[in-house]
Amino acid sequence: MNIRSYRYVKTKSFIIMGIFAVFLSHCATVPGTGRKQFKLIPNSQMSSMGESSYKEVMAKSKLSADQTKVAMIRRVGENIAKAAEVFLTAQGRESELKYYKWEYNLIDDDKTINAWAMPGGKIAFYTGILKLADTEDQVAVIMGHEVAHVLANHGNERMSQGLLVQFGGLALSKIIQNKPEATQQVFMTAFGLGSTVGLLLPFSRKHEYEADQIGLILMHRSGYKTQAAVDFWVKMTKLSKNSPPEFLSTHPPSEKRVEEIKKHIAELK
Ligand SMILES: [Zn+2]
């Protein structure tokens, strides 16, 4: 090997080692499933970006005046969040609780069949989705799933991948520190806030199934009937054959999904 190619190999291995170090130092574990994930952005930053985006969406939205429905959404949310706190604490992750300032709002919009969660625990339901989730247990299916996306830091994982694609493996922590506007831009893209407000890009199938799994644990622990998840997703699978609403385009129902849910329910018992 001559000097030049030696230098080339040396530089290349330094770059690879650098990328590897970035991965290692930002490797986290998903609560409940134990999956390893690449998470680049500090939780505190995710929460504050989630909070400000949520405020923006809420300011533009008409909140429901139906006090019975609003109270139901908040009751389910509080029950699931309480279970989430116990769930994290049991895994020695109580230090993460400070990042969550749970909030649940019901937006008065019958045409939007959707629900979503922002990092930090900011959750929105649209009145439209209550036509599909017509019992409190079924609302708990969706709430559990959305809270699970938050606890599993799926937004952070997706953003970290986005940043990696945009800036490569180098000096990412510097970009996050010194270029908050670039980080904010990736956040906006990851959460689909650029064009249609509050319409999240679909999570990957891996994230969807993981959110189902963790969501079922939360539902079960808050005393809701987990069978409602099977009923809900069977109903969604049938519905998706015609003209699927937003929620189903980001949450594709399938027989496989129902089978996975059944499997996780059996594990809980
Ligand atoms: Zn989801």
Side-chain angles (χ1 to χ4, degrees), residues 157-178:
E157 200 178 354
R158 184 165 59 184
M159 269 194 73
S160 302
Q161 285 157 358
L163 282 165
L164 200 63
V165 168
Q166 208 167 320
F167 299 102
L170 300 167
L172 277 176
S173 50
K174 285 222 169 62
I175 286 164
I176 292 166
Q177 257 170 34
N178 305 333

Side-chain angles (χ1 to χ4, degrees), residues 88-100:
L88 285 180
T89 306
Q91 295 173 63
R93 302 174 72 129
E94 54 270 53
S95 64
E96 292 170 27
L97 297 177
K98 62 176 174 291
Y99 300 120
Y100 304 122

Side-chain angles (χ1 to χ4, degrees), residues 145 149 208 251:
H145 177 94
H149 275 309
E208 278 306 302
H251 293 80

